[in-house]
Amino acid sequence: MARKLPSKDVVIIGLGWTGAILANELADAGLDVVAIERGPWRDTAESFNVGYAPDELRFAIRLDLFLRPAQETLTFRNNLNQTALPIRQFGSFLPGDGVGGAGVHWNGQNWRYHPTDFRLRSHLTERYGAAAIPDDLTIQDWGVTYDELEPFFDRFEKIAGISGKAGNLKGAIQPGGNPFEGPRSDEYPLPPMQMTYAPTLFAEAARSVGYHPFPTPSANASAAYTNPLGLSMAPCTYCGFCERFGCANYSKASPQVNVLPVLMRKSNFEARTDCEVLKINLDGSGKRATGVTYVDTSGEEWEQPGDLVICCAFSLFNVRMLLLSGIGKPYDPATNEGVVGRNYSYQTNSSVQMFFDNKTFNPFIASGALGQSADDFNGDNFDHTGLGFIGGAGMNCVPTNGRPIQTRPVPPGTPNWGSAWKKATKESYSSAFSMTSQGSSYTTRGNYIDLDPTYKDRFGRPLMRMTFDFPDNDIRMSSYVNDKLLTIAKAMNPRQIVANKTGRPYSVVPYSSTHNVGGAIMGADPKTSVLNKYLQSWDVPNVFVMGASAYPQNAGYNPTGTVGALAYWAAHAIRTQYLKNPGPLVQA
Amino acid sequence: MSNYALTRRYFLGSTTLTFLFGGVTAAGARTISGQPPWTAFTANPPTPELGNGLLFFIPSEFNTVDAIVARLIPADELGPGAREAGCATFIDRQLAGSFGTFQRFYMQPPFANGTPQQGPQSANIPHVIYRTGLAALDAYCRATYAGKAFIALEAAQQDAVLQAMEKGQAKFEGAVPAQQFFAMLLQNTREGFFADPLYGGNRDMIGWKLVGFPGTRYDYRDHVSKHNQPYPLPPVSIFGRPDWQVKG
Ligand SMILES: Cc1cc2nc3c(=O)[nH]c(=O)nc-3n(C[C@H](O)[C@H](O)[C@H](O)COP(=O)(O)OP(=O)(O)OC[C@H]3O[C@@H](n4cnc5c(N)ncnc54)[C@H](O)[C@@H]3O)c2cc1C
C-alpha cells in the first residue's frame, strides 16, 4: 500500500524542459507545486564540471547521463506483422533521465515550426486539393495556430537565450535571416554565433545555386546573456561537447541554466528526485485525477494527491503514462478507433558527406547548433504539384563535433581495420564534413504506440511498444530534398561526395534523432486527439500533457522550440483560464 | 489548496521521511526545496583506470587481446598503434566495470532473434563474449594452423583469422559467434584508441595525435574564424599533458 502524502495544488511528472517551465510559471501564480523526477538531481557546477565534462567515452558512448534501458525501455517492430522485441540498448534515439531531462544533453538547434505546419491538412487541401494528400497519411491540424503561439515562441527564445538572425520581422523580410520563417514579433535575443569553416562554405555554395542560407538558430549562446528571469549564460567556447554532454560553461540553454536556479529558490516549489511516477490516479468516475503514485529508490510507494497533474515525462513516456493510467481510449490500428498512441511519428533524415583535398575543417571547433541552414525545401515552401509527395526537409550544415570515437568519417570502401583504415581515418578526419536534410515525418494508420504484451519493466508493468516504419511519402520526400543537397555539395567541388538516403525499414540501431513525436496529440476533435488546443486531456480535464507527444505529425525541424512555446502557451491558459474555473477549457 | 508550512512540518516530523528525503548524497530519493542544493566536491568524477595488474583477463587472455588489437590498429609508418596505446588494458578495465555485464541495458528474457532493425537481442554479456570468444578463437587457430594459438601465428595469418571472424566465415565453438566477438573487439579497440587516456588506452594521446584531435581544450574561441588553418596546439587530456607533470 502506498503511503499518502499531504495534497499539493500541482503535481508535475518529470523535471526536464517542460516540467521546469510549468513548475516555474505555476509557482509564480502562487500555487504549491511539486515536481517528481525519476532520475537524480543535476546541477551545472556539481555534475558537469569543466575538468571532466569533455569525456567522450563516459558521456557519449557509455551514455552516463541518459535513461538506462535496464530502468525503462520500449519494444519495437516495423509493422503489425512482426513481433516486437525490446530495445536492449538505445540507439536511434536517446531519452533523457534526471533533472533537466533531455534538455541537459540536447544540441540546442532551436526552431519555430512554420505557420503552415500547424494547419497542415487544411493548408494542403486549400493549396492542392484534398486528393493531393496520400490516402495512407493520417496528418491533421494541430488545433492551434502559429499566430496564437507566436508570443510564446518569443518567450521561450528569450528564456533560452537563442542566437540567430530574424528573417521575417512582423512581415518584413530581413536580410541574413530565414526568408521562409513565420513572422516574428522580435529579433532573436542574441546575434548568430561565429561561423566555422564548413558551414561558411555551405552557405556560399547554397547561395550560388539559388538557395537562401542563414545561421541555424542556436541555444548555444553567442555572447553573455541574462534572461528575463535574471539568469545568466556565458558565451559558448565552441568546445565541441554539446550533444550527449552537460554544458560546463553555462552556454547551452537547459533547465539547469535557464530556469531552475530561480525555481529552486521558491518556497512553494519542491523537487523530489530519484522518484519514479508509476501512474496518475483517477477517482471512481475516471474523469478526475486525484494525484499520482510514485516509488522511491528504496522501493517504497507513495501517493501524492494533487488538484492538477501535469505530465512532463518526455513525449514517449507521456504516452506510456496515459496508457498505464487508463486516461483516454487506447488507439487500435485494426479498427482505427481510440486516440492514445495514435499518430506516432519521427523525423526523416538523409545526409550527404563530402571528402576534400587540401582543406582543414578542424571539426572539433564546434557546438551543437552552430551552422547554417536553408529552408527552400522545407514544409510547403516549394510547389509540390506533380512531385508525388508532400512535406519537406530543412537543409542543414551543423557539424556538431570532432570527437574521434564517433566522428571519424572514411570514404566508402575503406576496410574497417588495419593500416588502410588508419591511413583513411587520419586523412579524412579534418578534411571531410556532412550536411543533413532533416525531414518531416507524416503519420499513418499503422505507426503507433501501445503496451507490449510480453516484455515488462522492473516493476512488472508492460513496456510500451512502438510500431513504426517510414511511409513511402516520406522516403520520396527525403530523396528529393537530399538531391538538392547534392547540388550544394557539387558546388563545393569536393574530391568525393557520398549520399546517404533514408530507406526502409527504419532501424532503431544507428542514432538518428531523439525527435519522437505524437501519441498523445492535440487537436480540435476528441475522436482524433487526446488533448485540446491547450494540451489539456479531453477525458480528464485536470490532467495536462506537455511535450512533443502533442504533435499530430512532425515537421522538418528539431522539436524543442515548439515544445517550449506550447509549454508557455499551456501555462498561460492554466493561469488565466483554468485556475479561475477549473474544468475543460474547450467543450468537446 | 494545501499548506506549505504544514507540508514541511510533516516531512521534518517523520523519521522515515527524513531518512528518505533528507539525504544529501547523490544516490537515493530526496526532496529539495527553498534553494538549489550544491555541495562542493560531491560531484561524480571519473575514476582513473591506470595502474598495473589485470582486473578481468588472465595473462594468456590479455596477451591474445593485445595481439589482436595490434592487428586491428597496427603500428606502421603513420605511427604507433593500438598495442602501444594500451588498448588491451583499456578493454580489461572496461570489462571490469559496468560495461562488462551490460549492467545498463535491458537484459530481461525472453531472448528472441529479431530483424537487424530491432537491434541487438543476444543474451551474451561482454564477460561471456570475451571469455568464450577467446577460448573459441584459440581452438579455431589450433585446428586451422597445426596446433598454433593466435599469438603464435604470423601477422598475415592473424589477419586472415580476423578477416574470417569479421565476415562470419570462421566457425567458433560455443555460444558466441565469431562475428559477434569480432564486432565487440573492433568497437572496444577503437574506443580504447580514442578515449581519454584516463581509461587506460590512448597512451600518450597516440590516437588523438594520429588524427589531430586536441582533446579536452574546451575553448576554441581564438580559432573559430581562422578558417582552413590547422589548429596549432597539441592535445590535452583530462589529466593535462605529460609535460605539465612536475618531474623528480
Ligand atoms: C541527444 C539529443 C539531442 C537533442 N538535440 C535537440 C536539438 O538540437 N534541438 C531540439 O529541438 N531538440 C533536441 N533534442 C530533444 C530535446 O531534448 C527534447 O525535445 C526536450 O528535452 C523535451 O522536453 P520534455 O520536457 O518533453 O522532456 P525531457 O526534457 O526529456 O524531460 C522529461 C523528464 O521526465 C522524467 N520522467 C520520465 N518519466 C518519468 C516518470 N515516470 N516519473 C518521473 N519522472 C519521469 C525524465 O527523467 C526527464 O527528466 C535532443 C534530444 C537528445 C536526447
Side-chain angles (χ1 to χ4, degrees):
Chain A
M1 260 301 279
R3 292 185 50 178
K4 198 164 176 169
L5 295 163
S7 187
K8 294 278 184 183
D9 299 331
V10 183
V11 180
I12 291 180
I13 305 170
L15 191 53
W17 256 132
T18 60
I21 290 170
L22 267 288
N24 196 49
E25 293 298 295
L26 299 182
D28 269 353
L31 301 176
D32 204 2
V33 180
V34 61
I36 302 173
E37 164 58 49
R38 71 178 163 200
W41 169 255
R42 289 203 175 108
D43 167 84
T44 305
E46 258 184 24
S47 315
F48 317 132
N49 189 310
V50 71
Y52 49 80
D55 183 340
E56 184 183 15
L57 182 77
R58 177 179 181 185
F59 295 109
I61 308 297
R62 301 286 180 257
L63 303 172
D64 217 51
L65 298 172
F66 291 85
L67 175 66
R68 296 169 186 183
Q71 182 173 352
E72 179 169 358
T73 187
L74 55 157
T75 68
F76 169 75
R77 58 181 179 173
N78 278 122
N79 57 60
L80 294 163
N81 300 322
Q82 292 178 344
T83 302
L85 293 177
I87 299 178
R88 296 185 180 277
Q89 326 181 5
F90 285 124
S92 161
F93 49 86
L94 299 169
D97 180 55
V99 168
V104 165
H105 43 60
W106 69 320
N107 262 331
Q109 302 170 23
N110 193 83
W111 295 94
R112 297 177 173 202
Y113 282 19
H114 193 270
T116 56
D117 289 326
F118 295 99
R119 304 179 58 248
L120 188 64
R121 184 169 280 275
S122 303
H123 166 81
L124 293 173
T125 306
E126 284 157 18
R127 183 165 178 188
Y128 305 106
I133 301 174
D135 285 341
D136 60 329
L137 298 188
T138 56
I139 57 170
Q140 58 193 59
D141 295 359
W142 293 49
V144 69
T145 65
Y146 176 84
D147 289 343
E148 286 174 304
L149 288 181
E150 203 289 329
F152 303 96
F153 275 119
D154 184 62
R155 172 90 179 148
F156 182 67
E157 286 166 0
K158 286 181 173 146
I159 291 290
I162 305 302
S163 303
K165 178 77 195 83
N168 180 341
L169 273 179
K170 302 180 178 130
I173 300 303
Q174 307 293 313
N178 177 7
F180 296 101
E181 72 177 346
R184 310 166 53 88
S185 55
D186 203 356
E187 243 307 349
Y188 284 96
L190 284 172
M193 305 182 78
Q194 284 188 63
M195 268 315 133
T196 44
Y197 186 36
T200 304
L201 285 188
F202 165 87
E204 283 165 11
R207 226 170 271 122
S208 78
V209 295
Y211 306 148
H212 300 83
F214 56 92
T216 308
S218 167
N220 318 137
S222 61
Y225 177 70
T226 302
N227 82 2
L229 301 178
L231 297 174
S232 295
M233 300 176 82
C236 175
T237 62
Y238 305 82
C239 78
F241 287 86
C242 266
E243 182 176 45
R244 305 186 179 204
F245 300 82
C247 178
N249 278 329
Y250 299 84
S251 304
K252 179 172 72 176
S254 68
Q256 273 75 4
V257 173
N258 301 68
V259 183
L260 290 174
V262 159
L263 173 64
M264 295 308 298
R265 288 191 165 78
K266 293 184 175 151
S267 58
N268 55 337
F269 173 73
E270 200 174 291
R272 278 186 215 145
T273 58
D274 283 302
C275 291
E276 181 161 346
V277 175
L278 298 176
K279 66 173 193 310
I280 300 170
N281 301 315
L282 302 178
D283 71 4
S285 73
K287 297 268 166 235
R288 193 182 151 71
T290 56
V292 306
T293 298
Y294 68 90
V295 60
D296 66 27
T297 37
S298 72
E300 177 134 17
E301 281 189 21
W302 301 88
E303 187 187 333
Q304 174 61 66
D307 295 333
L308 187 56
V309 175
I310 307 186
C311 200
C312 299
F314 182 71
S315 66
L316 291 170
F317 307 111
N318 288 336
V319 179
R320 181 168 184 241
M321 188 62 63
L322 295 179
L323 290 168
L324 289 172
S325 307
I327 298 177
K329 187 174 171 190
Y331 171 69
D332 179 356
T335 60
N336 205 17
E337 280 171 12
V339 283
V340 184
R342 182 174 173 273
N343 276 29
Y344 168 77
S345 65
Y346 192 45
Q347 196 92 74
T348 321
N349 296 341
S350 294
S351 67
V352 172
Q353 200 173 31
M354 289 155 299
F355 296 87
F356 291 83
D357 291 319
N358 309 321
K359 287 208 192 314
T360 303
F361 294 108
N362 295 321
F364 42 85
I365 304 180
S367 89
L370 166 60
Q372 293 269 337
S373 300
D375 257 357
D376 299 71
F377 299 98
N378 209 342
D380 196 37
N381 293 343
F382 55 112
D383 186 359
H384 285 74
T385 310
L387 294 180
F389 66 85
I390 54 173
M395 300 188 288
N396 302 307
C397 177
V398 188
T400 59
N401 76 89
R403 302 183 302 261
I405 301 177
Q406 283 197 302
T407 305
R408 272 180 289 99
V410 288
T414 303
N416 285 321
W417 50 280
S419 283
W421 172 85
K422 198 175 164 192
K423 183 160 183 280
T425 301
K426 179 182 170 64
E427 281 172 2
S428 303
Y429 175 75
S430 205
S431 61
F433 72 94
S434 290
M435 312 176 290
T436 55
S437 53
Q438 174 166 262
S440 51
S441 179
Y442 287 168
T443 47
T444 65
R445 193 163 153 172
N447 287 340
Y448 75 111
I449 289 168
D450 65 351
L451 294 176
D452 191 86
T454 307
Y455 292 94
K456 307 269 188 278
D457 70 9
R458 63 207 169 105
F459 303 114
R461 304 173 309 155
L463 296 181
M464 93 186 107
R465 172 171 67 179
M466 173 188 289
T467 306
F468 182 79
D469 205 350
F470 297 113
D472 291 337
N473 176 79
D474 295 0
I475 295 289
R476 285 195 291 269
M477 176 281 297
S478 191
S479 170
Y480 178 87
V481 182
N482 217 51
D483 285 345
K484 303 294 177 188
L485 268 186
L486 280 176
T487 64
I488 300 177
K490 286 182 189 133
M492 284 184 258
N493 201 21
R495 179 184 78 231
Q496 190 177 358
I497 301 176
V498 183
N500 303 303
K501 288 189 180 180
T502 280
R504 286 156 67 101
Y506 162 69
S507 166
V508 294
V509 180
Y511 187 75
S512 179
S513 80
T514 311
H515 305 169
N516 314 87
V517 316
I521 71 175
M522 58 196 296
D525 180 354
K527 280 202 212 56
T528 54
S529 57
V530 175
L531 310 175
N532 67 25
K533 67 187 287 190
Y534 301 107
L535 305 180
Q536 181 183 33
S537 161
W538 290 110
D539 295 86
V540 183
N542 67 333
V543 170
F544 287 73
V545 185
M546 301 298 119
S549 38
Y551 296 9
Q553 60 275 328
N554 208 3
Y557 297 109
N558 311 59
T560 309
T562 302
V563 165
L566 285 171
Y568 279 108
W569 156 258
H572 182 76
I574 294 170
R575 287 174 63 157
T576 57
Q577 300 179 54
Y578 180 86
L579 291 178
K580 287 184 194 137
N581 186 11
L585 297 178
V586 179
Q587 290 309 320
Chain B
M1 307 249 145
S2 65
N3 178 314
Y4 176 68
L6 224 154
T7 313
R8 286 287 296 182
R9 265 201 304 283
Y10 181 92
F11 279 126
L12 295 175
S14 154
T15 40
T16 331
L17 284 165
T18 308
F19 169 66
L20 285 173
F21 296 127
V24 289
T25 57
R30 59 201 285 215
T31 290
I32 304 157
S33 183
Q35 58 173 347
W38 187 78
T39 320
F41 309 119
T42 52
N44 183 12
T47 323
E49 298 287 8
L50 307 178
N52 299 317
L54 296 175
L55 301 182
F56 174 78
F57 292 132
I58 56 172
S60 60
E61 290 173 331
F62 179 88
N63 292 339
T64 306
V65 172
D66 199 42
I68 293 170
V69 304
R71 296 317 304 154
L72 295 180
I73 309 180
D76 57 16
E77 69 280 3
L78 294 178
R83 168 177 274 159
E84 296 71 27
C87 286
T89 304
F90 167 87
I91 295 172
D92 177 67
R93 304 301 192 258
Q94 288 297 304
L95 289 169
S98 70
F99 174 77
T101 55
F102 278 169
Q103 195 191 55
R104 296 178 176 182
F105 297 156
Y106 184 83
M107 296 303 280
Q108 299 304 312
F111 288 91
N113 291 326
T115 65
Q117 289 72 30
Q118 289 176 303
Q121 295 296 332
S122 168
N124 293 338
I125 58 170
H127 281 179
V128 172
I129 295 173
Y130 274 91
R131 193 132 278 158
T132 313
L134 285 167
L137 170 65
D138 264 346
Y140 172 84
C141 291
R142 286 182 206 282
T144 317
Y145 295 97
K148 285 189 181 164
F150 184 83
I151 51 168
L153 301 179
E154 303 292 326
Q157 292 172 320
Q158 291 182 334
D159 285 356
V161 171
L162 292 169
Q163 260 152 19
M165 289 169 68
E166 181 179 26
K167 298 202 175 93
Q169 293 156 347
K171 178 90 186 73
F172 273 20
E173 296 299 319
V176 176
Q179 242 172 338
Q180 182 182 29
F181 182 35
F182 181 86
M184 184 161 284
L185 277 166
L186 183 60
Q187 175 203 329
N188 292 154
T189 304
R190 289 171 168 184
E191 288 168 358
F193 198 64
F194 291 119
D196 196 280
L198 183 63
Y199 297 100
N202 194 12
R203 251 175 229 158
D204 200 23
M205 298 179 270
I206 283 171
W208 292 353
K209 285 177 186 161
L210 175 75
V211 295
F213 176 60
T216 64
R217 290 202 165 267
Y218 223 63
D219 191 347
Y220 295 113
R221 279 173 293 181
D222 285 354
H223 206 80
V224 182
S225 51
K226 294 186 182 159
H227 291 174
N228 208 12
Q229 296 176 37
Y231 184 73
L233 299 179
V236 277
S237 77
I238 288 174
F239 283 156
R241 298 177 44 73
D243 45 314
W244 293 354
Q245 311 291 324
V246 181
K247 304 226 164 60

